[in-house]
Every structure is written in C-alpha cells, then in structure tokens.
Amino acid sequence: MAVMNQDKSLQLEIKDLSMSFGGIKAIRNVSIGVQSGEIYSIIGPNGAGKTTIFNCISGIYKAQQGSIRFENRELLGVKPDRIAQMGVARAFQNIALFKGMTVLDNLMSARVHLMKYGLLGAALYLGACQREEVQNRDAVEDVIEFLDLQSVRKSPVSSLSYGLQKRVELARALAMKPKILLVDEPVSGMNLEEREDMARYIIDINEEMDITVVLIEHDMGLVMDLSDRVTVLNFGTKIAEGTPGEVSSNPEVVKAYLGDEH
Amino acid sequence: MANFKISYREDTALFQNLWVKSWLGIFIAAMIVLPFLLSRYQLSILNGMGIAVIGALGLNLLIGYTGQISLGHGAFVAIGAYTTGLLAGTLGVPFIVALPVSGTTAALLSLIVGVPSLRLKGLYLALGTLAFGFIIEYVLFHWDLTRGDTGMAVPKIGAGGFFIETELQFFYLIMFFAALATLVAKNLARTKIGRSFVAIRDRDIAAEAMGISLSKYKIMAFAVSAFYAGVAGCLLAYYQKWIVPGNFDISLSIAYIAMIVLGGMGTILGSILGAILITGIPYGIVYLTDALRGTYPNLSGLIVDLKLGIFGLVIVLTLLFEPQGLVGIYRRIKVYWKTWPFKY
C-alpha cells in the first residue's frame, strides 16, 4: 500500500543524501520518504549509517550533498535547535539525559522553546512566567502519565535504572510536542518485558498522539511488528525499501544480514 | 509536618511550606536586629561577605549551572567598580543609576568572552577568560581615565543631606541587594533559563536537539554572571570609597572560584555558604595569629601571605573529599536527621 501512496506529499523527504568523514563515506545517495502518521524503520548492520542519517536530520552533522525536507522546508544547513523547534524530536541511542536534573526538569527542559517569557520575567517570576510554567508543567504531566513515570517524577535521572532512563529519554523527546519522533534503538539492552512495554508505548505515541515515528532498531521482531515501512541500509547505501514482509524476503537484505552462502 | 500539594503552582513555589516560611521570617528578623548588637569591625566582615555573596552567585550561575569555566570573574567586578568610579566619581551620577549601569556595562563587556565561548571549551575557555582578566587589569593600570596605581575616589551614596556612610547603614544596603540577588538567582534557576543552563552543562548536543539555542543561553549565562559581578563591584566601590587596580587581580577571581567550589557548584545555597566561609577565612587567620602572638611573634607576618595558598588548598581538599561542597555535607546531615534514629 505504501508504494501506491508515493505521490502523496511526504512529511520527511530525504533525497540523494551523502555524507563522508574524511575518506570514509558514511552514507551514499540515500533517499527516504516518510509519510505523515506512519511508523518508518531504518535497519541495517552496525556501521551502516543509520544513526548518521538521524544526526543529519537533526542538524548535528551537516551532510555534504543532497537535501532533507521536513514539511517542505529544507533542513540542511539549519541549526539543530531550529530544527527541533520545527517539530523534529530525537531520542538518543546512548542515553543523553541531563544527569544533574530530575525527571521532571528533564522533561521541562524540552519545552524551553514553547515558553515565551524573557530573562526579566524569569528573574522576577512575574505573572506571565508563572502562568507559562504551570501550563507547561501540566503538559509535561500528561507525558509523565502517558509513559507511567509518576513514581520517579522527582528523582534525579542518574538514580534510575537503564530501562527507566531509556523511557525518560523517550518522554523528553515527547515533551517537545513534536510532529515527528526520531527514535534510535529504543530497546537495546532491555529485557523482554521492558521491550514489550516500549513497543506498546511507541504504538500508542503513533496512534493516540498522532506523531510520525522514525525508528532505528536491531530487534527484528520489534521492527517487523511495528513498522508500516522499512528501509534497509548496508555500508551507507540503501539496499531495499518496502513493507516488513517485502523487505524480509528480499535477497539483498538476506545477503547483508546472513552472508553470501545462505 | 504534612506537605501535600494540590496544584502545580504550589509545587513550584519558592518557599514550600510553613516551616520554611517561618525560618525565613526568623532569619529576616535576626538580620534586622542583629547588627545593633555587633561591633563596627564585625559589621565590616559581614558587609564584605554580603558583597562576596552577590559575586559568587553570579559565578555559580556561569560555572556551576552552565558549566562554562571563567577565571576572569574578578575582571567583571573591576569593570563594575570602575564604571561606578567613573560615573559617580567623575560625572557625579547618583547611586540609583550607577548600580544598574555598572551591571549592564559588565554584562556588555562579557560578550568579549561570551561570544568566543561558543567555540572554546574547557581548558581553552579557562585560558581565554584568564587572559581577559589580565587585559582588564593592564587597562586599569595604564588608562589615563582610571589613574592607574593612584586609584579613584568614589563619593558617598546619598542625596539631600542623607548619606550612607556608617557600617550599619552599609549593612542594610548590602544585605538588601544580596537578598535580591539571591531571589533572582533562585528564580532563574527554577525557570526555563536555569534548565537551559544545566542542560547545556550536562549534554550540550542533546540540549540543542531539544530546541535549546546554545549561543543564546551561553551568552546569556556570561551576561547574567557579569551583571552580578558588576553589581558586586559597584557596591564594593562605594563601600571601599577608594579603588585601585590591585583590588581586582587574579587572586580575586581565584577567591570567587574557591567560594563556589567550597560551597557547592550548581546550587544557590552553596554560593552563599562558600562566600561567607572564604571571606571569613582571612579574618579567622588574623584572629588566630593574634591569639598566638605571645608564643609565635613572627607568625602574623608570614601567614597573611599564605592566604592565596590556603584558598588553593581549600579548593583541592574540597574536590578530593567533598566534591559537592558544603551543600553536600548539609544534604547528608538533612537526610540523616530525616530518618533518625533509623539508619534507612
């Protein structure tokens, strides 16, 4: 079905993206189109360039060639904070939470761009400042409830377990009120129960909050169950795209994962 | 004491419950009554501490909260003091104008180190700010306007026959501004400004990916910090009545760093505790040498020179044994008494 919808306008459109570090070509002419409202997965062996693509989308790396368009606006060359403010949220692979803050403050810090009061208002905690703080707290509490973080709300993030930190990482991205969510290996290093919880959360985020999800994951079971469409990368080039069923039977993909003699 | 919250407004309040509020009331009452019971010498110590609190709060917002190291904080205090010296001494501008202008001038000049901080990190930023401190000191020594070693006179604060000149009057003036500075720092720390600062300190790349502008908040941190230093410098100038460049050399910057390290980085309470202790140490040394004069008559001449060395030792020992500073000790005691007599 996805292939038929191709001419429908894409929410995120990556065209002929190339990026190299010195002599190493991390990604070569990769094109990806993500439609509004779907769960789109990017898979591939280690070093295939998956996270590099995320870093290019969120502006942390600047790709040398190609274009990345989000809702018809070019992202290439735009600063990371501006890209985030357009509605592109990111949950990092190796947890990148703000260690010195509580869970609540971590989530609140994702809403800085949604608060309009200035330095003077903050210094005196004037009416507008207090009102906005309370409003945003309210919104953050919704996210806390959504991801069942109530009990750790005021704990420092450094005191939480790995699985819980991963969930806070997702919550922080969600607190930004994004239109599209880039999730990098959300279940790596988790046990079965935590994986199932995380899968449930991702589906809920996609369906109930109506947020497009782009997923990088090594857990094939999770990818096949969740994704509407999948792209497979190998050595920085796209080798297949399609529904989970199409991709898993693609001979190129089988070769990339299992080797030639299969 | 029960501590239930039924609204987010209550949960974000500065003074959380009646217990805290009553202690605050007692503290304020003590601050109003106490000075009448103290000698001029004791008041002068407290006044020095009050000014140091303002400077230390500013530096802690920069180093403790935002993670941007600065070895040039003394230079911003100097800029504040000399702006006051030039405005009030030369042009006769009143205190009420000189104070905010001193802060603003320091904040504007902080752009000189604030903008490069977008590129410089860690050690390089430390060297940059150190150089900035030396340049300011050099300018103060050699610029005709600032009159070098001779220094500048600063007039009294006041108008229409009323002047602030006694230690007692200065006490109330300085403590008012110290309290205001603390309140503002507390407010900044609990709003989006403080959160952005800490986010940049903890993970700058993630902060950017969450929509926080690094350039905006780093420059803001430098400007706010310098504003605090400028205000402290202005009060210091009025209080000392005479300023010379030697007041603001590298040892002042080191003293400020010692304050926030000893007190506790990234905490408001820590800045205050550290400022009080570090300002108090030299007086403690004087007290000790006076007491020991009979037995060791040569000690007093020796030990005053050791002041900087003692600050250095305080920094090293704190980092080794109590990285969270006095606030860390305070927190541990608090937890201990919360559960007393049970261990957990």
Side-chain angles (χ1 to χ4, degrees):
Chain A
M1 108 198 170
V3 183
M4 288 186 294
N5 285 344
Q6 203 115 70
D7 39 1
K8 209 178 91 180
S9 76
L10 297 166
Q11 192 181 23
L12 180 73
E13 190 179 15
I14 299 175
K15 258 196 184 152
D16 301 322
L17 196 72
S18 292
M19 165 106 209
S20 54
F21 301 98
I24 301 156
K25 289 205 165 172
I27 35 179
R28 278 178 259 199
N29 294 320
V30 172
S31 297
I32 291 170
V34 181
Q35 285 159 16
S36 187
E38 70 177 341
I39 298 183
Y40 191 101
S41 290
I42 302 173
I43 62 170
N46 283 324
K50 307 181 296 292
T51 303
T52 307
I53 290 185
F54 269 18
N55 281 338
C56 289
I57 298 173
S58 45
I60 294 166
Y61 293 162
K62 195 173 176 299
Q64 283 99 352
Q65 272 174 49
S67 86
I68 304 170
R69 295 182 77 80
F70 174 68
E71 295 186 338
N72 288 322
R73 278 186 292 180
E74 181 62 51
L75 296 188
L76 217 62
V78 180
K79 280 191 155 193
D81 51 295
R82 297 291 312 154
I83 291 174
Q85 287 167 22
M86 287 178 195
V88 182
R90 172 92 185 264
F92 288 86
Q93 172 186 2
N94 37 10
I95 298 163
L97 292 169
F98 309 128
K99 286 203 188 74
M101 288 195 256
T102 61
V103 171
L104 187 62
D105 276 332
N106 262 280
L107 302 199
M108 287 294 277
S109 61
R111 295 183 73 85
V112 166
H113 64 283
L114 299 168
M115 301 187 211
K116 297 285 168 263
Y117 61 82
L119 182 60
L120 203 65
L124 303 173
Y125 211 70
L126 295 170
C129 169
Q130 184 172 39
R131 201 166 49 243
E132 279 188 67
E133 283 286 329
V134 170
Q135 274 169 5
N136 281 286
R137 172 72 189 274
D138 213 5
V140 159
E141 287 293 338
D142 289 342
V143 176
I144 288 177
E145 207 169 312
F146 197 84
L147 294 178
D148 298 313
L149 290 166
Q150 294 95 331
S151 57
V152 294
R153 193 189 275 124
K154 293 206 171 163
S155 315
V157 285
S158 49
S159 70
L160 303 181
S161 69
Y162 178 81
L164 219 44
Q165 286 193 21
K166 276 275 197 191
R167 209 193 297 170
V168 177
E169 178 80 44
L170 185 69
R172 185 180 61 175
L174 212 53
M176 284 176 62
K177 215 173 134 194
K179 293 173 186 155
I180 191 167
L181 187 61
L182 313 177
V183 194
D184 199 344
E185 297 199 18
V187 301
S188 64
M190 285 185 169
N191 64 31
L192 185 65
E193 200 185 339
E194 289 170 325
R195 278 163 192 251
E196 283 172 350
D197 281 347
M198 188 58 89
R200 190 76 248 159
Y201 290 134
I202 291 173
I203 294 173
D204 285 348
I205 288 167
N206 180 247
E207 286 178 356
E208 286 178 31
M209 295 185 155
D210 211 19
I211 295 171
T212 314
V213 176
V214 184
L215 187 71
I216 290 178
E217 186 47 65
H218 279 298
D219 184 326
M220 282 309 136
L222 187 92
V223 169
M224 296 306 162
D225 286 349
L226 258 56
S227 320
D228 294 312
R229 283 188 304 147
V230 181
T231 271
V232 190
L233 292 181
N234 195 20
F235 294 116
T237 24
K238 183 163 135 183
I239 55 172
E241 183 181 20
T243 62
E246 289 165 13
V247 163
S248 54
S249 56
N250 185 313
E252 280 279 333
V253 178
V254 176
K255 200 173 106 187
Y257 271 90
L258 300 174
D260 248 337
E261 295 297 312
H262 187 69
Chain B
M1 193 175 289
N3 192 8
F4 299 118
K5 309 278 169 35
I6 51 167
S7 73
Y8 296 137
R9 183 180 286 249
E10 270 179 56
D11 199 33
T12 50
L14 203 52
F15 307 111
Q16 290 267 330
N17 52 39
L18 197 64
W19 183 251
V20 177
K21 279 178 197 157
S22 15
W23 272 112
L24 187 77
I26 292 170
F27 179 72
I28 292 174
M31 287 297 268
I32 292 170
V33 177
L34 206 64
F36 290 104
L37 309 173
L38 297 175
S39 69
R40 274 193 60 207
Y41 175 67
Q42 287 163 331
L43 277 175
S44 76
I45 298 175
L46 289 180
N47 286 341
M49 288 174 178
I51 293 172
V53 163
I54 300 174
L57 281 169
L59 190 62
N60 215 337
L61 283 173
L62 183 65
I63 300 185
Y65 279 85
T66 323
Q68 304 299 303
I69 186 106
S70 167
L71 294 178
H73 203 58
F76 293 112
V77 179
I79 291 166
Y82 271 88
T83 309
T84 299
L86 289 170
L87 286 177
T90 316
L91 301 173
V93 171
F95 170 72
I96 204 82
V97 179
L99 184 85
V101 173
S102 299
T104 313
T105 309
L108 284 176
L109 286 173
S110 80
L111 293 179
I112 296 174
V113 285
V115 173
S117 82
L118 305 176
R119 299 265 165 188
L120 301 178
K121 276 186 184 178
L123 203 55
Y124 300 98
L125 184 60
L127 283 176
T129 51
L130 185 69
F132 178 78
F134 283 126
I135 291 167
I136 292 296
E137 205 186 329
Y138 180 88
V139 169
L140 295 181
F141 263 117
H142 293 90
W143 196 17
D144 294 340
L145 262 177
T146 55
R147 286 176 222 145
D149 241 351
T150 333
M152 295 179 79
V154 183
K156 289 173 193 161
I157 304 174
F162 174 77
F163 291 104
I164 291 178
E165 41 191 348
T166 66
E167 290 287 348
L168 187 67
Q169 288 164 333
F170 263 111
F171 177 84
Y172 289 123
L173 182 82
I174 289 170
M175 290 309 154
F176 170 76
F177 282 106
L180 191 65
T182 311
L183 181 72
V184 168
K186 266 275 184 204
N187 280 340
L188 290 181
R190 67 180 169 141
T191 54
K192 70 166 184 182
I193 313 275
R195 279 181 221 117
S196 308
F197 286 178
V198 177
I200 290 172
R201 178 194 72 191
D202 285 351
R203 277 294 175 126
D204 52 354
I205 289 176
E208 236 181 342
M210 296 300 127
I212 296 170
S213 164
L214 290 191
S215 45
K216 178 180 166 187
Y217 285 100
K218 271 189 187 178
I219 288 173
M220 191 188 280
F222 270 99
V224 170
S225 159
F227 187 89
Y228 268 81
V231 168
C234 169
L235 290 172
L236 191 70
Y238 276 113
Y239 179 59
Q240 289 187 341
K241 302 177 185 74
W242 197 274
I243 44 172
V244 287
N247 296 23
F248 311 101
D249 58 3
I250 176 85
S251 66
L252 184 65
S253 301
I254 290 177
Y256 274 119
I257 289 178
M259 286 174 204
I260 63 167
V261 170
L262 175 67
M265 301 250 259
T267 62
I268 301 296
L269 181 65
S271 326
I272 298 171
L273 295 178
I276 290 172
L277 222 79
I278 292 292
T279 318
I281 284 175
Y283 296 104
I285 296 170
V286 170
Y287 180 81
L288 263 180
T289 47
D290 278 355
L292 296 174
R293 179 160 293 160
T295 6
Y296 306 101
N298 295 330
L299 200 62
S300 58
L302 257 174
I303 212 152
V304 171
D305 294 332
L306 288 177
K307 195 177 90 175
L308 260 187
I310 289 173
F311 287 167
L313 197 66
V314 164
I315 296 179
V316 172
L317 291 179
T318 317
L319 288 176
L320 270 179
F321 296 110
E322 189 56 68
Q324 294 188 318
L326 293 171
V327 166
I329 298 173
Y330 168 74
R331 278 189 195 135
R332 252 189 286 129
I333 294 172
K334 210 166 124 184
V335 169
Y336 179 82
W337 285 107
K338 229 176 199 169
T339 53
W340 192 85
F342 306 105
K343 271 266 161 67
Y344 295 100

